[in-house]
Amino acid sequence: VLLHAFSVQSNLIGLVYFAANYGLFLQRFLLTLHCTEHRKLFKPGCSWLNHLAPYLLSPLFGVPSGAYKLHHVVMHHVEDNTWGWDLSSTEGFRRDSLACFAFYWLRFLLVSAVELPLYALRRRRHRHAATAAASMAGGWLLTAVLWQRCALATFYTLLLPYLVSSLALMFGNWSQHIFVDPDTPRDDYKLAYNCLACSDNPKTYNDGYHIIHHANSRLHWSELPAAFLQQLELHDSKDALVFKGIGFFDVGLAVFTGRLGWLADHIVPCGPKQAARSRQEWVKLLQHR
């Protein structure tokens, strides 16, 4: 009876820790990690501090040690959603299919630790390959050791975060690149979209300006809205998608539930070409992509 009571109490503590950590800090940490991997936070004199988040803290939020920069900055932005090179590419999938998304997520969950270093080797990025392989292998070895010492604590602090964050990150990327023009899939203005006036932007370093971020990933987050306004004509001519009042997860869920008309109602025309399009024409464009 005492053993059972201790087990229940320990699981409750673990759940409270996980819920509090994720509820209060997950979004802030992941988007701060995103920004500081694109543009280093600390100056050269304190450059060692730049390694704390991607190597030491990231496993507590479900991101394998040393994997984020190679996966996102080096691979995703350089390969730009290209099928066969970008391991997180959505291009080859039916993007309104839950089964396809499940495969997409499980591939990342189970084999990214192998595929990511191999990608770097294929691109002759040997330093990135060695760093990622050593970091991830060391992280999972430490997890195995900790599991032997205290399986319950390891589950709630490292394994459950990896399971949940991998799902959230992959659904986020899937949603961000859920509309890809099959005619010009390499065009940054047709493989992503922007989300304006959504509640997430003030908390995510303007992450909703995703087209702008892909077109120039070195722009500071505070410069993204102004860059968007300067490119309205380009957005209009390229038929770039811009939604208002909704975020990436809203878009992804809407596609999975077949609510393209609802998405069309949230599209903001960027110029006269797009302003002339009817609601049904927008729905057809969304279906095409």
Side-chain angles (χ1 to χ4, degrees):
V1 174
L2 286 175
L3 182 62
H4 175 71
F6 177 76
S7 177
V8 170
Q9 184 182 46
S10 297
N11 277 284
L12 285 175
I13 292 172
L15 282 172
V16 169
Y17 160 79
F18 175 78
N21 191 40
Y22 266 49
L24 293 173
F25 304 117
L26 177 66
Q27 187 182 56
R28 291 171 173 83
F29 176 80
L30 289 181
L31 273 299
T32 300
L33 178 65
H34 174 245
C35 283
T36 54
E37 285 296 84
H38 276 291
R39 293 170 61 102
K40 296 304 179 187
L41 180 61
F42 297 100
K43 295 179 179 180
C46 301
S47 59
W48 64 273
L49 290 171
N50 290 314
H51 300 302
L52 292 181
Y55 290 96
L56 185 62
L57 297 178
S58 63
L60 299 174
F61 294 93
V63 179
S65 179
Y68 189 85
K69 182 175 182 178
L70 175 57
H71 190 280
H72 181 77
V73 180
V74 176
M75 181 189 71
H76 179 59
H77 275 277
V78 172
E79 307 301 348
D80 218 17
N81 204 52
T82 301
W83 183 254
W85 286 106
D86 183 352
L87 300 176
S88 59
S89 172
T90 59
E91 186 181 350
F93 291 101
R94 178 173 172 174
R95 292 178 293 279
D96 61 352
S97 166
L98 283 171
C100 286
F101 172 70
F103 175 83
Y104 178 82
W105 168 50
L106 289 172
R107 176 188 176 187
F108 174 83
L109 181 76
L110 300 174
V111 298
S112 61
V114 175
E115 285 191 318
L116 194 55
L118 288 178
Y119 156 78
L121 288 176
R122 289 169 64 200
R123 283 301 196 195
R124 300 185 183 278
R125 299 180 182 273
H126 300 111
R127 181 176 61 85
H128 284 296
T131 300
S135 300
M136 288 190 287
W140 286 117
L141 179 61
L142 178 60
T143 300
V145 171
L146 292 173
W147 178 267
Q148 296 297 321
R149 302 296 289 269
C150 185
L152 195 65
T154 305
F155 174 75
Y156 283 110
T157 58
L158 295 172
L159 295 180
L160 184 59
Y162 179 61
L163 183 68
V164 173
S165 289
S166 65
L167 177 61
L169 288 167
M170 289 298 98
F171 183 69
N173 192 77
W174 180 279
S175 299
Q176 289 170 337
H177 300 282
I178 205 164
F179 295 117
V180 180
D181 190 336
D183 302 321
T184 52
R186 302 282 74 77
D187 189 335
D188 286 328
Y189 294 82
K190 296 185 178 183
L191 60 80
Y193 56 87
N194 296 320
C195 290
L196 310 182
C198 65
S199 60
D200 286 339
N201 279 350
K203 298 177 289 187
T204 59
Y205 303 93
N206 285 323
D207 193 44
Y209 293 89
H210 205 62
I211 289 176
I212 307 300
H213 178 57
H214 264 268
N216 184 357
S217 63
R218 292 293 299 162
L219 273 180
H220 190 269
W221 63 268
S222 64
E223 300 172 303
L224 296 174
F228 167 70
L229 291 175
Q230 292 167 3
Q231 298 179 29
L232 283 175
E233 185 177 340
L234 185 59
H235 279 65
D236 186 43
S237 67
K238 287 180 172 288
D239 260 338
L241 292 171
V242 178
F243 298 100
K244 181 180 179 180
I246 58 176
F248 298 126
F249 277 39
D250 300 313
V251 174
L253 289 172
V255 171
F256 280 137
T257 53
R259 294 184 296 151
L260 296 185
W262 180 81
L263 286 176
D265 292 335
H266 286 82
I267 289 177
V268 179
C270 293
K273 174 186 174 183
Q274 292 188 328
R277 183 174 284 119
S278 68
R279 182 179 188 267
Q280 189 55 40
E281 287 172 332
W282 277 119
V283 171
K284 288 182 178 180
L285 185 145
L286 295 176
Q287 290 172 335
H288 179 68
R289 294 188 185 181

